[in-house]
Amino acid sequence: MKQTGFFDVEERLARLSGLGDQLEAFSRTVDFEVFRPDLEKALAYSDGSKGGRPPFDPVLMFKILVIQTLNNLSDERTEYLINDRLSFMRFLGLGLSDRVPDAKTVWLCQKRLTQAGAIDGLFNRFDATLRNAGYLPMSGQILDATLVAAPKQRNTNAEKADLREGRIPEDWQDKPAKLSHKDRHARWTLKFTKAKRQDDGTMPSSDLAIPFFGYKSHVSIDRKYRFIRKWKTTHAAASDGARLREGLLDKTNTASSVWADTAYRSKANEDFMEKQGFVSKVHRKKPHLKPMPRHIQKSNAGKSIIRSRVEHVFADQKSQTGLFVRTVGISQATMRIGLANIVYNMRRFLFLERLNASA
């Protein structure tokens, strides 16, 4: 068997480039060094003065989290694929003989970033990069939310009642191992799906209600470029509309219009937007027990054309990166969803830069 040489590896990498290596495009377009100040502060690695093995570079570890998010990988699978794939090694700047972080190191990196609450700073750091590149929030904003699944919990009704009240069930308090595996923040809710046409051609009288367990990702995107500008993570049963008044609106957008579905239509929200200088384009609800007036129906249809753009964001996150919360607790879920939002913005940035280059 022929022994692999340096030029064989270079030839293989060149072929990967020719086939369209997304990670290579990331390296070429995204300046990952902008994240270094936030990463160094949050990870707080020692300076090595006390000896021991030197820590991995913070930017390298962040790029590993990007790989993990892009491919929806567990920590163990991430370790294996970094060792296995040349494209991953090139993205990370690692050679075949270089030391690779193991699964425990990747887990500890995420844990430190989560405990430091670093995800907001990292998100804002890349948002500043987008603005500096000329992608300012323009033409108004669109709000929506999507459910993000988490591992289901098998709790009794009494335990569920305790969790809803913010209490730790008594049976869990003296079992730290069990408590560490119980997600006390995720919630059950009903996910409504349009009913499909029956075999005989008739339509069911009501939509399907599917039980769902996990969290909810709330976002505000700008209408012009469709970047996520504001975001928030809650449990799955949280109200969509109430989040509008909790920092989800972007005051830096060059236009004041706000699009959203009927879940965001309330007097409190309308008054809040008016006081803050926003113009509501939120869908109007159907009057109770009355047909929808034709002029409102026509207005809602026009708003839907614009509002539907936010659905593309969620579709991209779930189809391309398989957005799913593997961890336990709202803090780690926020970290996971925040990383997914950063990666979405990176992918969108690559797409727009490619369009501009070909124009």
Side-chain angles (χ1 to χ4, degrees):
M1 184 176 179
K2 180 184 175 183
Q3 186 174 0
T4 303
F6 173 77
F7 292 107
D8 296 311
V9 174
E10 288 296 306
E11 183 179 344
R12 182 66 63 84
L13 288 172
R15 189 175 181 186
L16 288 173
S17 299
L19 292 171
D21 182 2
Q22 184 185 47
L23 291 176
E24 187 181 28
F26 267 56
S27 296
R28 198 167 48 239
T29 310
V30 177
D31 179 13
F32 282 91
E33 284 298 316
V34 301
F35 299 104
R36 185 175 293 279
D38 297 271
L39 293 169
E40 289 182 341
K41 181 180 178 182
L43 294 175
Y45 288 144
S46 67
D47 58 6
S49 59
K50 295 183 179 180
R53 178 176 286 187
F56 288 98
D57 180 68
V59 175
L60 167 70
M61 296 306 302
F62 180 68
K63 291 170 81 173
I64 289 176
L65 298 184
V66 169
I67 287 177
Q68 191 175 45
T69 304
L70 269 171
N71 298 278
N72 189 26
L73 302 174
S74 66
D75 296 335
E76 291 75 16
R77 189 64 178 167
T78 301
E79 178 188 354
Y80 173 80
L81 289 177
I82 291 173
N83 281 281
D84 181 63
R85 291 191 181 178
L86 288 175
S87 60
F88 284 15
M89 291 186 214
R90 175 167 63 180
F91 177 63
L92 298 173
L94 296 174
L96 291 174
S97 60
D98 289 332
R99 187 165 59 103
V100 174
D102 59 19
K104 182 66 177 295
T105 303
V106 176
W107 177 80
L108 284 173
C109 175
Q110 293 182 74
K111 182 180 180 181
R112 286 194 178 191
L113 291 175
T114 301
Q115 291 175 338
I119 191 62
D120 285 328
L122 294 170
F123 180 88
N124 293 335
R125 185 73 67 171
F126 189 64
D127 186 62
T129 296
L130 297 175
R131 293 168 189 260
N132 292 336
Y135 297 104
L136 300 175
M138 292 182 178
S139 305
Q141 56 196 297
I142 310 170
L143 274 61
D144 206 355
T146 190
L147 294 168
V148 181
K152 296 181 179 64
Q153 304 282 294
R154 308 298 179 185
N155 301 326
T156 66
N157 289 334
E159 290 170 343
K160 291 177 183 178
D162 284 337
L163 293 174
R164 282 193 294 269
E165 296 297 324
R167 299 190 299 267
I168 299 177
E170 185 176 350
D171 186 48
W172 298 1
Q173 295 179 13
D174 57 349
K175 298 178 181 178
K178 182 176 183 178
L179 183 59
S180 67
H181 288 88
K182 287 292 186 178
D183 196 330
R184 291 173 282 147
H185 303 117
R187 292 289 182 272
W188 284 97
T189 189
L190 291 176
K191 179 180 181 180
F192 292 94
T193 303
K194 290 291 183 183
K196 295 181 180 179
R197 191 176 297 276
Q198 301 285 348
D199 293 337
D200 59 3
T202 61
M203 288 293 293
S205 58
S206 60
D207 293 335
L208 300 176
I210 303 172
F212 185 94
F213 183 81
Y215 293 91
K216 190 175 285 187
S217 170
H218 308 262
V219 303
S220 170
I221 70 167
D222 67 271
R223 180 188 172 191
K224 174 73 172 178
Y225 298 113
R226 304 187 197 180
F227 285 115
I228 297 172
R229 302 293 182 170
K230 297 288 183 179
W231 63 281
K232 188 178 183 66
T233 301
T234 65
H235 61 74
S239 164
D240 293 358
R243 309 287 83 77
L244 181 144
R245 306 188 301 276
E246 297 179 356
L248 205 58
L249 291 174
D250 182 11
K251 295 182 180 180
T252 67
N253 198 292
T254 59
S256 56
S257 298
V258 177
W259 285 266
D261 62 26
T262 54
Y264 296 85
R265 169 69 68 168
S266 68
K267 187 178 186 306
N269 282 349
E270 295 300 304
D271 291 344
F272 178 83
M273 284 189 283
E274 183 179 2
K275 184 180 294 186
Q276 296 292 322
F278 293 103
V279 177
S280 174
K281 301 286 185 180
V282 180
H283 279 47
R284 291 186 177 274
K285 298 179 181 179
K286 177 183 174 297
H288 185 58
L289 299 178
K290 294 181 181 179
M292 177 76 83
R294 189 165 183 80
H295 70 283
I296 294 179
Q297 190 174 6
K298 188 175 181 181
S299 174
N300 281 351
K303 294 172 183 176
S304 291
I305 296 173
I306 296 173
R307 194 204 67 79
S308 63
R309 296 178 184 180
V310 73
E311 301 293 348
H312 302 162
V313 177
F314 297 138
D316 181 273
Q317 288 185 317
K318 292 186 177 181
S319 65
Q320 298 298 320
T321 63
L323 182 57
F324 178 80
V325 173
R326 300 174 182 273
T327 51
V328 172
I330 186 70
S331 297
Q332 295 186 73
T334 300
M335 181 71 188
R336 175 72 179 92
I337 291 172
L339 279 170
N341 291 340
I342 293 174
V343 168
Y344 165 79
N345 279 354
M346 287 180 177
R347 295 184 71 251
R348 182 71 182 166
F349 182 46
L350 260 63
F351 173 76
L352 293 176
E353 287 291 278
R354 200 160 47 238
L355 281 184
N356 293 336
S358 62

